[in-house]
């Protein structure tokens, strides 16, 4: 199971829906793609600490995951949670004068956030793990959308998971809730690396938000456009900064080609 949502209630409901249609299959591994709460907070809705302690379930995460998850959700948790209420509007009534959507999805849920520490840490690009007979090859992408993040491919299945490094929207680089500012230069560099690591055998790309992209040629174009826009925002911001403009002025001056 990849990224078990933000709250235990929504994760348990999702797993129940899956099992209703696919059978009561056990969860033998959970993968956290990165250190934001909407990608790990529901973990105790699908597995228990006892299962992990007994070795019946692995928890796989990128290097530095636990440090960054604690820094964002504990050290700055009060402020981040309060600001997220304004950023996502999850508690507003649904409708045109309240909450409509949040870009990456409908909105965040308001249930119970949990965490189980990783048992397997991904420490290098190219690291392989076998999970229930399925081969997974990882690409570390630190300091991109999150300080600790990773993509990974299922080479024998022709699939790649892009975490939150490529979704069907232009991601914010500076969040209203106060997450660590994203490094657009590094983000672009890692997307270039993602493109070079992909082979013609990859036919579907999926991520933690939105819908999949099918076809190798379309996947490469999709990643290339993401890479280009983040690099452009980085480069043009620096160009205008060095000409003496301040942040608010730069925001007004930048136009995408």
């Amino acid at each position: 199971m990849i990224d078990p949502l933000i709250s235990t209630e929504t994760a348990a409901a999702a797993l129940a829906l899956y099992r209703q249609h696919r059978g009561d299959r056990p969860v033998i591994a959970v993968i956290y793609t990165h250190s934001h709460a909407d990608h790990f907070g529901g973990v105790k809705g699908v597995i228990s600490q006892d299962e992990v302690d007994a070795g019946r379930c692995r928890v796989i995460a990128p290097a530095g995951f636990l440090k960054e998850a604690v820094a964002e959700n504990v050290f700055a948790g009060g402020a981040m949670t309060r600001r997220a209420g304004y950023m996502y509007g999850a508690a507003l009534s649904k409708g045109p004068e309240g909450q409509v959507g949040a870009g990456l999805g409908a909105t965040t849920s308001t249930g119970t956030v949990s965490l189980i520490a990783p048992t397997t840490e991904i420490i290098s690009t190219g690291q392989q793990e076998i999970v229930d007979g399925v081969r997974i090859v990882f690409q570390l992408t630190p300091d991109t959308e999150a300080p600790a993040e990773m993509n990974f491919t299922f080479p024998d299945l022709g699939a790649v998971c892009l975490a939150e490094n490529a979704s069907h929207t232009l991601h914010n680089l500076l969040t209203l809730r106060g997450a660590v500012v994203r490094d657009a230069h590094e983000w672009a560099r890692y997307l270039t690396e993602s493109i070079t690591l992909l082979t013609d055998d990859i036919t579907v790309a999926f991520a933690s938000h939105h819908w999949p992209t099918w076809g190798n040629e379309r996947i490469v174009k999709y990643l290339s456009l993401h890479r280009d826009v983040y690099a452009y925002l980085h480069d043009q911001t620096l160009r205008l900064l060095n000409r003496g403009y301040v942040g608010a002025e730069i925001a007004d001056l930048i136009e995408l080609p």
Side-chain angles (χ1 to χ4, degrees):
M1 181 174 290
I2 302 168
D3 287 355
L5 305 176
I6 194 171
S7 63
T8 59
E9 294 86 351
T10 51
L15 182 57
L17 178 64
Y18 173 87
R19 285 175 168 162
Q20 177 185 338
H21 295 279
R22 302 296 297 166
D24 190 13
R25 303 180 182 185
V27 179
I28 65 163
V30 171
I31 300 176
Y32 303 143
T33 62
H34 62 288
S35 52
H36 293 156
D38 55 322
H39 300 263
F40 66 79
V43 64
K44 288 189 177 179
V46 294
I47 60 172
S48 69
Q49 185 69 58
D50 289 344
E51 288 176 287
V52 175
D53 292 342
R56 295 195 299 273
C57 184
R58 299 171 64 187
V59 179
I60 303 169
F65 167 86
L66 202 57
K67 172 181 176 291
E68 298 300 339
V70 169
E72 179 172 312
N73 298 285
V74 179
F75 293 169
M80 293 278 283
T81 300
R82 183 169 60 252
R83 293 176 181 181
Y86 288 95
M87 181 171 176
Y88 297 114
L92 295 176
S93 60
K94 311 306 175 190
E97 295 181 351
Q99 208 278 341
V100 177
L104 288 173
T107 186
T108 53
S109 64
T110 55
T112 306
V113 178
S114 62
L115 175 62
I116 295 177
T119 60
T120 300
E121 189 173 60
I122 304 304
I123 60 174
S124 62
T125 292
Q127 182 173 335
Q128 296 192 36
E129 298 290 334
I130 305 296
V131 180
D132 196 27
V134 178
R135 185 164 61 104
I136 309 175
V137 183
F138 294 87
Q139 177 202 6
L140 281 182
T141 61
D143 299 320
T144 51
E145 191 271 336
E149 190 150 355
M150 63 184 182
N151 300 329
F152 42 93
T153 61
F154 300 84
D156 303 319
L157 301 173
V160 60
C161 174
L162 297 169
E164 207 168 327
N165 287 316
S167 53
H168 292 281
T169 184
L170 172 58
H171 215 301
N172 44 24
L173 298 177
L174 172 64
T175 72
L176 299 178
R177 65 192 175 93
V180 176
V181 180
R182 283 76 188 248
D183 187 334
H185 183 267
E186 283 296 276
W187 200 337
R189 184 174 73 83
Y190 278 115
L191 285 172
T192 297
E193 184 180 76
S194 297
I195 294 168
T196 63
L197 291 174
L198 294 180
T199 68
D200 293 339
D201 296 330
I202 299 297
T203 57
V204 60
F206 64 94
S208 304
H209 299 277
H210 302 145
W211 51 93
T213 299
W214 298 90
N216 189 269
E217 186 175 334
R218 290 182 67 208
I219 293 168
V220 171
K221 180 180 180 181
Y222 171 64
L223 291 175
S224 299
L225 288 172
H226 273 75
R227 183 265 318 278
D228 293 350
V229 75
Y230 293 129
Y232 185 85
L233 287 174
H234 172 271
D235 295 348
Q236 295 307 306
T237 298
L238 276 179
R239 179 179 68 84
L240 293 168
L241 178 74
N242 285 320
R243 290 183 60 188
Y245 293 99
V246 297
E249 295 169 322
I250 292 171
D252 287 337
L253 288 169
I254 287 182
E255 292 186 13
L256 294 181

